[in-house]
Amino acid sequence: MMNVAAHRFSDAGLVELPGGAVSIAPMLLAKRMQAATSRKIPANETIWCEGDARSHIFVVRTGAVCLSRTLANGRRIVLDFAYPGDIIGMGADTHPCDAHTVQLTRLEAIPAGAFKRAVQEDPEFGRQASIQVANALSAAYQHVVVISKLSASERLASFLVALSRRNEANGLSALSVLLPMKRLDIADFLGLTIETVSRTFTRFRDAGLIAMDQHNVVVFRDLPKLRSLAAGESEDE
Amino acid sequence: MMNVAAHRFSDAGLVELPGGAVSIAPMLLAKRMQAATSRKIPANETIWCEGDARSHIFVVRTGAVCLSRTLANGRRIVLDFAYPGDIIGMGADTHPCDAHTVQLTRLEAIPAGAFKRAVQEDPEFGRQASIQVANALSAAYQHVVVISKLSASERLASFLVALSRRNEANGLSALSVLLPMKRLDIADFLGLTIETVSRTFTRFRDAGLIAMDQHNVVVFRDLPKLRSLAAGESEDE
DNA sequence: CGGCCGCTTGACTATTATCAAAGATGGTGG
DNA sequence: CCACCATCTTTGATAATAGTCAAGCGGCCG
């Protein structure tokens, strides 16, 4: 239903995904935990850069991570956000994107070699990986849809609804969401500018679709309408 | 370097990919050919629809296939084009997109069951699949970049340059390309309208970047400039 | 030969980006 | 604890790019 690529939980245990974030079931993860070390990273810190050699696979424990690419002339694109439970840094030998924290974040770092070995030794592990990547690819396609065919309002609605659904999947309320990232990150994820994102938030508020006490807490006042917007079912067409 | 997702050849033999197209090495394909039947399909014919149960995996032999999604209100997005050598229709049990021919196309149809069995029986087969999907995901990310941050000219340049590189990879000239698909397909792939695509072709022609005798044959007159455009290195920034 | 389909071109509109500046917010040090 | 500063967000005015609406052109097929 949305663009936040990796935030789909599955009954599978595994994972693999070049640059994107993937969910991992606790038990299978636990099997590999002996090799992992924990790292605590402040907000707005770079975890790796595009082109860096991949040394570790990271599991997000707390906080949030932003995965992005930057073009020659400085234009930046956010490809995905990773939240607790997501795993990031898999795939090719060199990272295809930058990764930075958007708030204080705790990561488990699993050496790339150990992870690779685990995938090779356990065929089921590898099979589940394929499924996860296929899901991530579906999500990336959905991101293409959102960016290429939805208006500013529809894009922001789609972003908020995805966060709402994620809350729901985690047993939290679907009626409010926290926005750990900055407006710039949201804008670059949705292919908009910070001004347009800000104005759209204001319009949503004025239209009674959401309420915002602080600018990183959104309370939904008309979730059905937002969902309809997110699906591109707007009246104008 | 581009968005035409599946058009990356690798030394791997395999494949897997929800909706997208993937290249397959001739030899490994041959091993499975006994189960395949050939189909010849006219232009503008639907191969499958979004939501259909997946019955076969198809290998494109000649022609070209367009993979697309359509939103509730009719807006359409082209996710990928598939050319000879590409394999389409893998992934989930139901197709996540529509597929239609853009010209007379010959397909090899491999029953889904036979394909699945082959993947399960041969671990290396499955491992290569993961790699292919990872590549497809990288390409999808690149598509996101193109659509969210490039101007109309840059998007079209990126499309043309990708076709040029594909020719090159196939031992053909990089200096001209054929466009088997309609303007609408190009527009929906690049997140533009047919009018904008048409105007951009005209501007490229007027600027001496390309020559076009027929509207489906493009001859490059300034490939370096086009490549620079495609990379988003335009002077205006 | 005629009609249809797809491509091109033109005039105008609209959405979003850009440029600019004024509030918030949060953290730091006095 | 408060004040200040840097950073982020919001708001406003204007501009530019691409979309929309409309019409004309051209080739292809019946």
Side-chain angles (χ1 to χ4, degrees):
Chain A
M1 177 62 1
M2 242 296 292
N3 34 13
V4 182
H7 316 133
R8 346 187 111 193
F9 297 89
S10 81
D11 49 347
L14 203 273
V15 168
E16 158 128 29
L17 164 62
V22 181
S23 301
I24 190 165
M27 39 177 182
L28 264 175
L29 180 64
K31 290 205 302 185
R32 308 297 165 190
M33 234 48 226
Q34 0 3 356
T37 59
S38 192
R39 288 174 58 186
K40 202 157 228 154
I41 305 178
N44 308 311
E45 200 89 356
T46 296
I47 303 172
W48 70 70
C49 289
E50 187 173 344
D52 282 0
R54 177 191 51 152
S55 63
H56 293 81
I57 309 293
F58 299 97
V59 182
V60 180
R61 278 298 170 204
T62 62
V65 174
C66 174
L67 302 164
S68 62
R69 266 189 208 180
T70 302
L71 295 183
N73 55 7
R75 284 173 279 186
R76 193 186 72 135
I77 301 91
V78 170
L79 296 168
D80 206 357
F81 295 105
Y83 303 102
D86 291 341
I87 184 161
I88 58 177
M90 286 174 296
D93 287 339
T94 61
H95 291 294
C97 62
D98 301 336
H100 75 269
T101 55
V102 299
Q103 59 179 173
L104 177 63
T105 296
R106 195 159 58 82
L107 298 175
E108 303 287 348
I110 305 168
F115 191 86
K116 191 173 186 177
R117 225 173 300 122
V119 170
Q120 285 173 343
E121 285 166 3
D122 187 344
E124 178 61 15
F125 209 64
R127 209 180 66 77
Q128 298 294 354
S130 287
I131 294 172
Q132 290 287 0
V133 190
N135 283 347
L137 185 55
S138 283
Y141 282 157
Q142 190 56 30
H143 197 184
V144 169
V145 169
V146 167
I147 285 178
S148 68
K149 289 292 164 178
L150 299 189
S151 69
S153 300
E154 291 168 333
R155 292 186 208 186
L156 187 60
S158 130
F159 178 69
L160 294 175
V161 166
L163 289 176
S164 163
R165 289 197 201 282
R166 183 185 177 82
N167 271 0
E168 214 165 25
N170 288 358
L172 303 172
S173 167
L175 291 176
S176 71
V177 294
L178 274 164
L179 306 175
M181 70 293 290
K182 298 185 180 118
R183 292 287 183 270
L184 181 60
D185 293 321
I186 299 176
D188 285 346
F189 182 68
L190 297 176
L192 300 169
T193 60
I194 52 173
E195 291 95 333
T196 298
V197 169
S198 181
R199 281 186 245 271
T200 307
F201 269 122
T202 302
R203 255 182 286 130
F204 280 1
R205 192 153 37 76
D206 293 351
L209 298 180
I210 62 171
M212 286 177 73
D213 29 341
Q214 305 138 69
H215 37 232
N216 59 340
V217 180
V218 175
V219 177
F220 298 111
R221 291 252 176 270
D222 190 349
L223 195 46
K225 172 70 177 168
L226 284 168
R227 283 186 173 152
S228 148
L229 267 174
E233 298 163 354
S234 63
E235 59 290 346
D236 57 72
E237 189 278 331
Chain B
M1 185 47 13
M2 245 291 295
N3 35 10
V4 182
H7 315 137
R8 347 187 108 193
F9 296 88
S10 82
D11 49 346
L14 204 274
V15 165
E16 159 128 25
L17 166 59
V22 181
S23 300
I24 190 165
M27 36 177 184
L28 265 176
L29 180 63
K31 289 204 301 182
R32 306 298 164 190
M33 236 47 227
Q34 339 36 334
T37 58
S38 193
R39 288 176 57 186
K40 201 158 227 152
I41 305 178
N44 308 311
E45 200 88 356
T46 296
I47 302 172
W48 70 69
C49 288
E50 187 173 346
D52 282 0
R54 176 191 52 152
S55 63
H56 293 81
I57 308 294
F58 300 95
V59 181
V60 181
R61 278 299 169 202
T62 62
V65 174
C66 174
L67 301 164
S68 62
R69 267 189 207 179
T70 302
L71 295 183
N73 56 8
R75 284 173 278 186
R76 194 185 72 134
I77 302 91
V78 170
L79 296 168
D80 205 359
F81 294 105
Y83 303 101
D86 290 342
I87 185 160
I88 57 177
M90 285 173 298
D93 287 339
T94 61
H95 291 293
C97 63
D98 301 336
H100 76 268
T101 55
V102 299
Q103 59 178 173
L104 177 65
T105 296
R106 196 158 58 81
L107 298 174
E108 304 286 348
I110 305 169
F115 191 86
K116 193 172 184 178
R117 222 172 305 123
V119 170
Q120 284 173 345
E121 285 165 4
D122 187 343
E124 178 60 16
F125 209 63
R127 210 180 65 78
Q128 297 295 354
S130 287
I131 294 172
Q132 290 285 359
V133 189
N135 284 346
L137 186 55
S138 283
Y141 282 156
Q142 189 56 31
H143 197 184
V144 169
V145 170
V146 167
I147 284 178
S148 69
K149 289 291 165 181
L150 299 190
S151 69
S153 301
E154 290 168 334
R155 292 185 207 186
L156 187 60
S158 127
F159 178 69
L160 295 175
V161 166
L163 290 176
S164 163
R165 290 197 202 282
R166 182 184 177 82
N167 271 359
E168 213 164 26
N170 288 357
L172 302 173
S173 167
L175 291 176
S176 72
V177 293
L178 273 164
L179 307 175
M181 70 293 290
K182 297 182 180 121
R183 291 288 184 270
L184 182 60
D185 293 322
I186 298 176
D188 284 346
F189 182 69
L190 297 177
L192 301 169
T193 60
I194 53 174
E195 292 96 332
T196 299
V197 169
S198 182
R199 280 187 246 270
T200 307
F201 269 122
T202 302
R203 254 182 288 129
F204 279 2
R205 193 155 35 77
D206 293 351
L209 299 179
I210 62 171
M212 287 177 72
D213 30 342
Q214 305 137 71
H215 34 233
N216 60 338
V217 180
V218 175
V219 178
F220 298 111
R221 291 250 176 270
D222 190 347
L223 196 45
K225 172 69 177 171
L226 284 169
R227 285 186 172 152
S228 149
L229 268 174
E233 298 164 353
S234 63
E235 60 289 347
D236 57 74
E237 189 279 335

